[in-house]
Amino acid sequence: MTKLSVNINKVATLRNARGGNNPNVVEVALDCERFGAQGITVHPRPDERHIRYQDVYDLKSVLQTEFNIEGNPVGKFNELVLEVRPTQVTLVPDAPGQITSNAGWDTKKNFSFLREIIGEFKEKGIRTSVFVGTEPEMVEYAAKAGADRVELYTEPYASAYALGREEAVKPFVEAAQVAHSLGMGLNAGHDLSLENLRFIHEQIEWLDEVSIGHALICDALYLGLEDTICRYLDCLK
């Protein structure tokens, strides 16, 4: 079964809006696990506008499921990952002030850089995933750089879903097949929702993990967190 990793960045955004510790990020993460999520994802950014570096340490000490840390592998982020040693690190080419991730790596252009940092993380036993688009060459160079997995950036699929889901999913199936042929694991994330998740999973049944935050937390405002997680898990059966 494809694992559901809940990205809790939006929970931290709500907390930070008023200061204090309400909602409690750690308690929400533990609730997600209790309600059936098989992983927790965080994406700390340099300005700590949502997840703080201290959150990462606090979560590491209590989580029972897979812990996935996303981010641009430079400076303090690398130090954090190497110290915390999560189950997985997902390398995302974010600029410091970027609102959200909006592109995958050019793994060919950044091959030497990625190979070096992937080697450092894997030496510490951290599974390493690289955030990529659907170009087969980008998947191939991620494999050459030593990545264990790729995470397909699925915003283009979500945006085109209503216009024709078969066409929208086609390049993702092709990229997934390339990853599978290279012996890589496969993740997906960004703008996946209750509307579009089931279909992409039906087309790519060998997905290892989906990482979902914004849509899931929005749904939880109406449905409640437990019901929401159950509905997302049902899409992955």
Side-chain angles (χ1 to χ4, degrees):
M1 179 177 175
T2 302
K3 291 182 178 180
L4 171 66
S5 184
V6 177
N7 185 319
I8 58 172
N9 277 19
K10 287 298 184 294
V11 177
T13 300
L14 182 59
R15 174 200 62 188
N16 295 352
R18 286 289 297 271
N21 197 31
N22 185 26
N24 185 302
V25 168
V26 172
E27 288 184 4
V28 172
L30 294 176
D31 284 339
C32 289
E33 289 187 326
R34 185 161 56 90
F35 298 149
Q38 298 103 340
I40 299 296
T41 292
V42 295
H43 190 146
R45 288 182 165 87
D47 61 6
E48 297 188 288
R49 63 182 181 270
H50 34 63
I51 287 294
R52 300 167 182 158
Y53 289 94
Q54 185 58 48
D55 293 328
V56 179
Y57 293 108
D58 294 342
L59 288 162
K60 172 61 177 179
S61 65
V62 297
L63 292 180
Q64 300 298 311
T65 58
E66 291 197 353
F67 192 21
N68 173 45
I69 303 178
E70 298 180 344
N72 194 356
V74 293
K76 190 176 179 180
F77 177 85
N78 294 353
E79 296 172 8
L80 177 73
V81 172
L82 290 170
E83 184 174 354
V84 171
R85 297 193 187 186
T87 314
Q88 177 176 269
V89 59
T90 301
L91 311 185
V92 183
D94 276 348
Q98 203 162 316
I99 294 176
T100 187
S101 308
N102 62 4
W105 284 95
D106 184 332
T107 52
K108 184 176 183 180
K109 180 179 179 180
N110 295 281
F111 175 74
S112 296
F113 170 73
L114 289 171
R115 180 173 61 179
E116 180 178 353
I117 193 63
I118 288 170
E120 289 184 30
F121 290 143
K122 290 181 68 173
E123 188 177 323
K124 298 297 183 180
I126 304 167
R127 187 174 71 226
T128 305
S129 179
V130 175
F131 197 62
V132 296
T134 56
E135 302 90 337
E137 188 177 39
M138 298 301 103
V139 177
E140 291 166 0
Y141 270 86
K144 291 177 182 178
D148 300 295
R149 296 184 181 181
V150 288
E151 178 175 324
L152 298 179
Y153 168 53
T154 47
E155 188 275 334
Y157 161 74
S159 296
Y161 181 85
L163 301 176
R165 62 184 191 176
E166 287 78 12
E167 284 301 311
V169 81
K170 186 180 297 184
F172 292 88
V173 174
E174 293 172 355
Q177 290 170 339
V178 172
H180 191 61
S181 72
L182 294 169
M184 304 184 79
L186 184 68
N187 300 339
H190 208 89
D191 284 356
L192 295 175
S193 68
L194 289 176
E195 178 185 10
N196 59 46
L197 178 59
R198 186 182 302 276
F199 183 70
I200 194 171
H201 181 253
E202 289 172 348
Q203 306 307 304
I204 311 172
E205 294 181 344
W206 61 93
L207 272 171
D208 291 295
E209 171 190 296
V210 292
S211 175
I212 305 177
H214 183 79
L216 189 150
I217 299 302
C218 289
D219 289 332
L221 295 175
Y222 296 93
L223 304 171
L225 186 59
E226 183 173 9
D227 188 18
T228 297
I229 288 176
C230 288
R231 293 191 189 203
Y232 276 86
L233 290 170
D234 186 63
C235 291
L236 299 172
K237 288 182 178 178

